[in-house]
Amino acid sequence: MQMKPVEETIAGVLGIEMREITEERVTATMPVHAATHQPFGQLHGGASVVLAETVASVGTWHSIDQDNEIAVGLEINANHIRGKRDGIVTAIGVPLHRGRTTMVWDIKIIDEEERLICVSRCTVAIVQKKK
């Protein structure tokens, strides 16, 4: 099983673009516009959570045996610090723990002026592929 291209997933629907994928850091951007707003014109917290989990899942997938394992979200939390009406947000994820069966990621979402919009922690399970 290959990882689907981001544009074919919810990340694509929201306009998320992967910018950097390394062992130590994953970054992605997302526009703040109608598709990522809540009904009152602010960035939807759920869109921020999708961005954060995408960064953690892709980062984990990058670090595992892709022929035999997959990465799936296990737990995520998010604190929404500041509202945002338009522009671009950037998620920066770094691994806090790299285990055999789980990885834990710290994700900070910032705006163009590097103001903190959201902080999240995501645990990703590493699961054996079914043969």
Side-chain angles (χ1 to χ4, degrees):
M1 172 188 300
Q2 293 291 328
M3 183 176 83
K4 284 186 175 184
V6 171
E7 58 272 4
E8 294 180 15
T9 68
I10 189 172
V13 171
L14 296 181
I16 294 171
E17 294 184 13
M18 303 309 298
R19 299 294 184 183
E20 175 185 10
I21 305 170
T22 70
E23 296 284 321
E24 299 302 322
R25 178 177 151 119
V26 176
T27 65
T29 59
M30 181 177 69
V32 180
H33 56 23
T36 57
H37 279 169
Q38 40 90 306
F40 308 105
Q42 294 284 330
L43 175 61
H44 195 294
S48 294
V49 170
V50 170
L51 177 59
E53 187 167 334
T54 298
V55 164
S57 294
V58 169
T60 299
W61 181 82
H62 181 75
S63 299
I64 63 176
D65 174 2
Q66 298 165 6
D67 291 331
N68 296 304
E69 299 172 320
I70 60 171
V72 295
L74 184 63
E75 189 275 338
I76 190 165
N77 68 48
N79 293 96
H80 307 291
I81 309 297
R82 171 180 277 113
K84 183 142 177 79
R85 289 189 170 279
D86 55 27
I88 300 283
V89 290
T90 300
I92 303 161
V94 296
L96 299 174
H97 164 74
R98 293 176 200 244
R100 193 173 37 81
T101 59
T102 61
M103 288 187 72
V104 178
W105 288 79
D106 177 66
I107 305 101
K108 290 183 174 60
I109 300 175
I110 59 173
D111 68 8
E112 302 91 338
E113 296 167 9
E114 298 189 7
R115 292 180 297 193
L116 188 62
I117 302 298
C118 177
V119 62
S120 179
R121 187 181 64 237
C122 183
T123 303
V124 180
I126 301 166
V127 179
Q128 294 297 310
K129 286 183 182 178
K130 293 182 180 175
K131 303 252 175 172

